[in-house]
Amino acid sequence: MIKKLSLISLFTLMPASFYFAQTTVFAYVKDQDGKPIEKAEVDLAQSTGDTSVDKIGYFQFVDLKPGHYLITVTKPNFESKILEFDVAADEKRKDLGVITLNYNLGSDAGVIVIDDSANDTEDGGSSMQPTVGLLSSGRDAFQNVSAFELGAYWFRPRGVDNRFEDVLFNGVSMSKNDDGKVDFNNWGGLNDVTRYPYENVDNITPSEYTFGNLGGAVYYNTRASSYRKQTSLAYSFTNRSYLHRAIATYSSGLSKSGWAFTFSASRRWGDRAILDGVYQDAYAYFASIEKKFSDRHSLNLTAFGSPTYRASNAPNTQEVYDLMGKNYNSYWGWQDGEKRNSRIRNVYEPVFMLTDYLKIGKNSNWTNTVSYQFGSDARSRLDWFHAADPNPTYYRKLPSYGLLTADEFRQQSQIDWNYLYNTNRINKFEMDGITSRGASYTLIDDVNKDKTFNFSSHFDTKLKDNWKLNINFNYQNLKSDNFRRINDLLGADYANNLNPFNNDVRYNLDDTNTRVRVGDRTQYSYQLTRNHYSLNVSTEIDFKKWNVVASIFASQSESYRNGDYRSGIAQFTNNSKGKSAVYNALDAGIKGKITYKINGKNFIVYNGAFFSLAPTLNEIYINPRVSDFLTPGVKNQIINSNDISYIMRGQILKLRLSGYYTTISNSTELARYYAAVSTDSGSYNTLINEAMSGADKRYMGAELGFDVKITPTINAIGVASVGEYKFTNTPQVYSVDDLNGFRSYGAANIKDYKVAGTPQKAFSFGLKYNSPKYWWVGASANYLMDQYLDFSALNKTAAMYTIPDSGGIIYDGATPEVIQQLTAQKKFDDQFMLNANAGKSFQFGKYRVGVSISVNNILNNRNYVTGGFEQGRAANFTDALAESQRATPYFGPKLWYDRGRTFFTNVYLRF
């Protein structure tokens, strides 16, 4: 009987002893100033349930059994920290104390100055200008170096351009519907409030807030109370695209009455940067006001905008650079003793958002945002009517053509504004002194006025401690008004709304009054409308050794054009005015991420994605300025992408080694340029709207990024990116022009041609010293390889070397060897760049002062071509052969060169 009672007592007490043997482990996470770091992530290697830090910096793990544990604490823009500890059998509570995360010193020094002026030119097609990747630092060495070191030289991770990236503010995508790209000008200068993304996922990694794309997603939460309570003042001096930048930011924190305010304002200005005739004056503002009604409900109003006035720089042929130097810019000239640039981008598209934050129950959150964006994006250029091209680098004015010597060209190398005004004054009247003839030269604006309404809804819930569900719904309505208007008559009384390249037909047949004045619309006017609906569901399950994320989406879009003008050109008269048919597109896709946790420091991660992507408005309509004709062969792109990574997160070594393989099918490439086109009745110079449809591409390669702590204060950071990005088929080429209407040119023989716009291989190695006294110095060596020239698709078709309307007979001399010589893709030389940065911060009571400087391209290497495109003017064999035989071609490639040594200095005061 006693034995039975003993056994009963033993089994009765075991659960209690087991319970008391479990321990609650807790700590506080703070920055080096002693302030809590909210929402830092805490990963417990031996558990399926990770946690995050609350508003006072506190976190805890409950019911830990006796044993050895490892946690990793991470927060963007802070250095992560790994902590190991033991739990004894007799501990009920274990206090890990304060875990201090140090600032990632140098993050302010590496600020990238956004300068997309190369995209402001119409000399090339949509893919013919250099683009940059997402301008934010990632969590590992590779992403940081890609953004701040290699990104300064137009390096794009995995070859993916802006078209495939996504930036969201409170769930609302900032991608433009016309070309799918993110326009950073909408919040340029607001560095203080966009410095720390709420979520930053790389490449095809699934996001909680969107399905995403190929190039990753950045999510900004503009909730006023989420910003650190402080006032910040900053001034920067640089020689890049402007000279001066000033920023002021104030965040109140959350008051006892439930109000929080964050305000920021900035200005960037200057007119004596490296490139001639480039100047900028840009303002920016940001306001976020939050009212917290309860612990479960808050409402936030956000408004931001960045009115920007910026001059552009021209691409040039090598002949022009050899004559004028790498700083030459043909877009400007002297007027009344001041530099005046003809290519000005004037953009202001403010955004207003109202976001409702609601907590439902213990584990669910529902966030809804409505937003409205409107404004104008205007890009100016010179236009002429029955007059000579005013471009100083027009091919007939170049010394190679023979009309001007090199010295004469240099003397006339800028726009002669006085000549333009005088010509207009002289041409005001015919010989009778009565009949007015209108302007020979005008300054016109190509204008987009978009009105965009968005509704975004995000719901997340924890189904279990280790199982999370996210649901995202988005609706967008875009109404885009597109037109050309008269900016400046340059001394004339009016301009003629007639087409001088097509027998002076009226651009608008229904308007017999062809005289237009400043502010009037001219040449084209149409609206584009798009309704887009999307639903995304993702889930994440965390196990002891595995983490699995799955994401699916479906979307539908409806697009149509409504023309205001009935074109006087016969081919377009019946397809230019009024509402077009609706273009419908349906998309769907799936993404997945699987993480295997080898231990608390080593991981294997696989990402996969398969989805479709509807064409943008620019891709749907081959020439929307004139007609509603659809682009022949336009389809949804099909994207298949996979990568696998080995990740090490140690105290001494942080490393990521990745391999990736991506295919894109059915892409459409468009370009607009003047070309000499051969027909059965002769050769004509005309404006070509070119479409290359059904192009397939393959992106494959490997990435390595590591950060080694050589000593407690010295780090070595290295990156290697080895990729191959190329076309894998022979897509079809079509064109439409005023003289011939639609034409099909057959297949473009571009299989194995390389994707342009980025170095396909890049390497970087740097050293950085972080002093315990809050100063740092660093330097990096960067090597860029395999940069290619973008090509003209029309020149790669059989039409280039086939006699028109001959049944396929090729020109004499068009041997395979000659054709290969004429169509070969140019590869640029490899380049070496050296960067450095340094800075220090000081603490005076509650005041923190910091100074920093970064210098790119210290060796002043001016031979690096950041981008370029092949001109399409010599689009027939006779002209192309003659071009190849000239010592200096008339229509050589147009290029942009790196600006050489640039610097960025910054000083700030925070309190």
Side-chain angles (χ1 to χ4, degrees):
M1 184 66 181
I2 295 175
K3 288 183 179 180
K4 291 182 178 179
L5 288 173
S6 298
L7 287 172
I8 293 172
S9 300
L10 177 63
F11 283 105
T12 302
L13 292 173
M14 274 189 67
S17 64
F18 181 78
Y19 172 79
F20 286 115
Q22 292 178 319
T23 306
T24 296
V25 176
F26 63 95
Y28 292 85
V29 180
K30 298 184 179 182
D31 62 21
Q32 56 203 39
D33 300 328
K35 297 179 179 179
I37 301 178
E38 184 184 357
K39 293 187 175 66
E41 295 181 0
V42 186
D43 179 9
L44 181 64
Q46 293 79 8
S47 171
T48 60
D50 302 331
T51 188
S52 60
V53 175
D54 66 16
K55 291 186 177 182
I56 63 172
Y58 179 81
F59 73 90
Q60 69 176 16
F61 290 99
V62 298
D63 297 342
L64 294 188
K65 298 177 182 178
H68 183 74
Y69 292 89
L70 180 148
I71 61 172
T72 303
V73 186
T74 58
K75 174 76 173 179
N77 298 288
F78 288 86
E79 296 182 357
S80 62
K81 181 159 289 186
I82 297 175
L83 186 67
E84 298 184 64
F85 59 91
D86 293 300
V87 172
D90 58 347
E91 288 184 287
K92 293 183 179 179
R93 290 176 62 82
K94 187 176 185 68
D95 185 358
L96 299 181
V98 174
I99 301 174
T100 302
L101 298 188
N102 294 323
Y103 298 119
N104 186 3
L105 294 177
S107 61
D108 284 343
V111 174
I112 294 177
V113 179
I114 299 171
D115 177 26
D116 62 350
S117 59
N119 291 320
D120 296 340
T121 177
E122 284 193 342
D123 293 329
S126 61
S127 65
M128 293 183 176
Q129 295 88 25
T131 59
V132 294
L134 290 177
L135 305 185
S136 60
S137 60
R139 294 192 178 192
D140 63 21
F142 186 90
Q143 294 299 327
N144 278 322
V145 172
S146 296
F148 294 129
E149 303 292 340
L150 299 173
Y153 305 110
W154 306 96
F155 170 74
R156 301 197 309 238
R158 304 189 181 184
V160 174
D161 66 21
N162 196 347
R163 165 73 170 89
F164 298 99
E165 297 165 349
D166 209 356
V167 175
L168 299 98
F169 281 77
N170 303 322
V172 175
S173 175
M174 292 291 107
S175 297
K176 295 296 184 182
N177 272 289
D178 55 355
D179 60 8
K181 296 182 178 181
V182 179
D183 189 352
F184 295 94
N185 286 282
N186 288 162
W187 62 93
L190 296 174
N191 299 60
D192 280 355
V193 292
T194 59
R195 192 181 306 281
Y196 306 119
Y198 193 78
E199 183 189 52
N200 189 350
V201 298
D202 308 321
N203 307 310
I204 57 173
T205 303
S207 163
E208 292 186 19
Y209 300 95
T210 181
F211 181 79
N213 210 310
L214 273 179
V218 174
Y219 180 94
Y220 292 107
N221 178 10
T222 64
R223 192 172 185 173
S225 63
S226 68
Y227 293 97
R228 179 184 301 177
K229 181 180 179 180
Q230 69 173 9
T231 298
S232 175
L233 304 173
Y235 169 77
S236 305
F237 181 68
T238 180
N239 68 337
R240 295 176 182 172
S241 59
Y242 54 83
L243 296 180
H244 310 280
R245 185 187 71 173
I247 304 177
T249 303
Y250 167 75
S251 293
S252 67
L254 189 65
S255 69
K256 293 181 179 180
S257 59
W259 288 95
F261 305 90
T262 294
F263 302 106
S264 186
S266 76
R267 186 187 179 196
R268 294 162 291 156
W269 73 101
D271 61 357
R272 293 187 300 276
I274 292 176
L275 298 181
D276 294 336
V278 173
Y279 44 86
Q280 182 173 170
D281 196 5
Y283 294 83
Y285 62 86
F286 174 92
S288 180
I289 303 172
E290 179 184 357
K291 171 58 179 174
K292 185 175 182 180
F293 299 101
S294 68
D295 290 339
R296 294 182 172 273
H297 187 208
S298 292
L299 197 63
N300 197 96
L301 176 66
T302 303
F304 62 88
S306 182
T308 301
Y309 180 89
R310 188 189 66 241
S312 302
N313 62 285
N316 295 299
T317 62
Q318 190 59 50
E319 177 185 8
V320 174
Y321 283 122
D322 291 341
L323 288 166
M324 303 300 299
K326 301 288 174 54
N327 294 338
Y328 173 67
N329 180 13
S330 64
Y331 286 162
W332 69 275
W334 293 101
Q335 182 180 349
D336 297 331
E338 295 185 0
K339 291 181 179 180
R340 182 180 182 183
N341 194 305
S342 63
R343 298 288 185 107
I344 300 293
R345 185 177 183 192
N346 198 339
V347 55
Y348 177 41
E349 298 176 309
V351 179
F352 297 88
M353 293 180 168
L354 185 64
T355 304
D356 182 80
Y357 300 91
L358 183 64
K359 186 172 182 63
I360 304 173
K362 182 179 179 181
N363 297 316
S364 302
N365 299 283
W366 191 19
T367 303
N368 295 283
T369 298
V370 291
S371 77
Y372 183 66
Q373 182 177 18
F374 63 95
S376 172
D377 186 353
R379 308 178 191 222
S380 70
R381 70 174 184 85
L382 285 171
D383 196 19
W384 56 100
F385 184 82
H386 294 302
D389 189 336
N391 178 9
T393 59
Y394 181 59
Y395 78 99
R396 293 176 183 270
K397 300 177 183 179
L398 296 177
S400 59
Y401 193 76
L403 296 180
L404 299 176
T405 66
D407 288 338
E408 289 172 332
F409 172 79
R410 293 188 185 98
Q411 292 172 1
Q412 305 174 31
S413 58
Q414 303 302 150
I415 294 174
D416 190 344
W417 290 99
N418 290 331
Y419 170 79
L420 303 183
Y421 275 86
N422 289 334
T423 301
N424 280 349
R425 292 189 184 104
I426 292 172
N427 289 342
K428 275 189 176 182
F429 300 103
E430 295 281 6
M431 295 296 293
D432 58 11
I434 300 174
T435 306
S436 180
R437 298 197 302 181
S440 295
Y441 295 100
T442 55
L443 190 71
I444 54 93
D445 289 330
D446 289 310
V447 184
N448 291 355
K449 283 190 173 182
D450 289 352
K451 296 179 180 179
T452 309
F453 171 81
N454 287 280
F455 171 71
S456 171
S457 182
H458 169 81
F459 175 80
D460 64 74
T461 185
K462 277 192 174 182
L463 302 176
K464 292 185 178 180
D465 287 343
N466 66 332
W467 186 7
K468 188 174 184 180
L469 176 70
N470 303 295
I471 302 174
N472 300 300
F473 173 78
N474 293 85
Y475 167 72
Q476 182 179 87
N477 171 261
L478 167 73
K479 294 183 178 179
S480 179
D481 191 9
N482 301 264
F483 57 93
R484 180 168 287 175
R485 73 181 173 204
I486 302 295
N487 177 305
D488 192 337
L489 288 169
L490 305 180
D493 292 332
Y494 65 90
N496 293 288
N497 194 22
L498 302 172
N499 189 340
F501 300 101
N502 202 309
N503 301 316
D504 286 352
V505 298
R506 294 199 299 270
Y507 283 107
N508 184 7
L509 274 180
D510 296 331
D511 188 357
T512 57
N513 179 19
T514 61
R515 296 186 177 188
V516 287
R517 293 172 173 80
V518 172
D520 290 344
R521 300 192 180 203
T522 182
Q523 301 185 24
Y524 69 87
S525 177
Y526 64 96
Q527 290 79 45
L528 294 173
T529 300
R530 186 167 194 162
N531 289 296
H532 183 258
Y533 311 81
S534 67
L535 177 66
N536 164 233
V537 180
S538 66
T539 185
E540 178 178 2
I541 305 177
D542 195 40
F543 302 103
K544 185 173 182 179
K545 282 289 188 178
W546 297 88
N547 178 275
V548 179
V549 182
S551 180
I552 60 174
F553 97 104
S555 72
Q556 196 239 343
S557 60
E558 305 163 347
S559 308
Y560 62 89
R561 175 189 181 274
N562 195 342
D564 295 327
Y565 289 177
R566 190 162 65 93
S567 176
I569 300 172
Q571 292 93 333
F572 310 125
T573 299
N574 296 325
N575 293 87
S576 49
K577 187 173 183 178
K579 182 180 177 181
S580 70
V582 176
Y583 182 92
N584 291 289
L586 181 66
D587 281 324
I590 184 169
K591 280 186 177 183
K593 176 184 177 183
I594 302 174
T595 302
Y596 174 65
K597 308 172 188 178
I598 301 173
N599 52 43
K601 298 180 181 179
N602 297 273
F603 308 85
I604 301 292
V605 180
Y606 164 78
N607 285 287
F610 184 78
F611 59 97
S612 63
L613 194 63
T616 65
L617 289 169
N618 281 359
E619 293 166 346
I620 293 172
Y621 301 103
I622 189 170
N623 187 15
R625 293 181 177 181
V626 177
S627 74
D628 60 13
F629 289 138
L630 297 180
T631 301
V634 65
K635 296 179 181 178
N636 291 27
Q637 297 185 63
I638 305 298
I639 296 172
N640 186 359
S641 183
N642 298 268
D643 67 43
I644 189 166
S645 301
Y646 165 69
I647 299 172
M648 175 187 288
R649 295 193 312 198
Q651 286 286 72
I652 303 299
L653 173 63
K654 297 180 179 65
L655 177 146
R656 176 168 68 84
L657 176 63
S658 302
Y660 59 91
Y661 186 93
T662 299
T663 60
I664 301 177
S665 304
N666 297 333
S667 69
T668 300
E669 311 275 348
L670 293 109
R672 181 183 291 114
Y673 53 87
Y674 281 94
V677 178
S678 296
T679 67
D680 56 350
S681 58
S683 180
Y684 299 92
N685 289 325
T686 185
L687 179 64
I688 294 288
N689 296 275
E690 174 195 286
M692 182 173 69
S693 299
D696 296 344
K697 305 173 190 176
R698 187 187 71 194
Y699 301 76
M700 61 182 295
E703 300 170 337
L704 171 66
F706 65 85
D707 186 339
V708 181
K709 191 174 286 294
I710 301 174
T711 72
T713 57
I714 299 177
N715 286 53
I717 303 102
V719 157
S721 176
V722 180
E724 182 187 62
Y725 322 133
K726 67 179 185 180
F727 291 84
T728 57
N729 70 335
T730 55
Q732 297 294 306
V733 178
Y734 308 88
S735 74
V736 61
D737 64 77
D738 292 357
L739 300 175
N740 302 293
F742 266 109
R743 298 192 73 190
S744 175
Y745 294 89
N749 298 308
I750 61 167
K751 186 176 181 180
D752 294 329
Y753 275 58
K754 300 299 192 294
V755 175
T758 178
Q760 304 213 355
K761 297 180 178 65
F763 306 89
S764 179
F765 178 78
L767 292 172
K768 185 175 180 181
Y769 174 78
N770 278 325
S771 169
K773 297 183 178 180
Y774 305 121
W775 64 271
W776 77 90
V777 62
S780 69
N782 307 281
Y783 195 68
L784 305 151
M785 300 175 60
D786 294 0
Q787 173 88 304
Y788 290 87
L789 182 73
D790 208 346
F791 55 84
S792 168
L794 185 58
N795 288 358
K796 305 301 179 285
T797 66
M800 197 273 285
Y801 51 83
T802 303
I803 298 174
D805 304 310
S806 66
I809 299 175
I810 65 173
Y811 284 95
D812 291 337
T815 65
E817 293 77 16
V818 172
I819 294 171
Q820 170 62 27
Q821 175 189 348
L822 295 180
T823 60
Q825 188 178 23
K826 179 177 177 56
K827 178 183 177 183
F828 299 114
D829 294 336
D830 303 337
Q831 300 294 335
F832 174 79
M833 302 291 184
L834 188 65
N835 298 345
N837 63 79
K840 179 168 176 56
S841 61
F842 307 86
Q843 190 77 34
F844 304 101
K846 68 175 184 177
Y847 297 94
R848 174 176 290 276
V849 178
V851 293
S852 63
I853 181 171
S854 64
V855 183
N856 288 343
N857 197 352
I858 293 174
L859 302 179
N860 200 33
N861 181 356
R862 301 304 304 272
N863 296 320
Y864 177 55
V865 178
T866 59
F869 58 92
E870 182 181 51
Q871 293 198 71
R873 295 199 59 143
N876 60 80
F877 179 77
T878 303
D879 291 343
L881 183 63
E883 275 284 275
S884 69
Q885 294 172 343
R886 294 189 182 102
T888 305
Y890 296 160
F891 306 111
K894 290 285 189 79
L895 309 172
W896 286 275
Y897 276 94
D898 186 77
R899 299 184 179 190
R901 186 184 301 114
T902 60
F903 66 87
F904 191 92
T905 60
N906 187 62
V907 58
Y908 68 83
L909 169 65
R910 294 173 185 161
F911 56 92

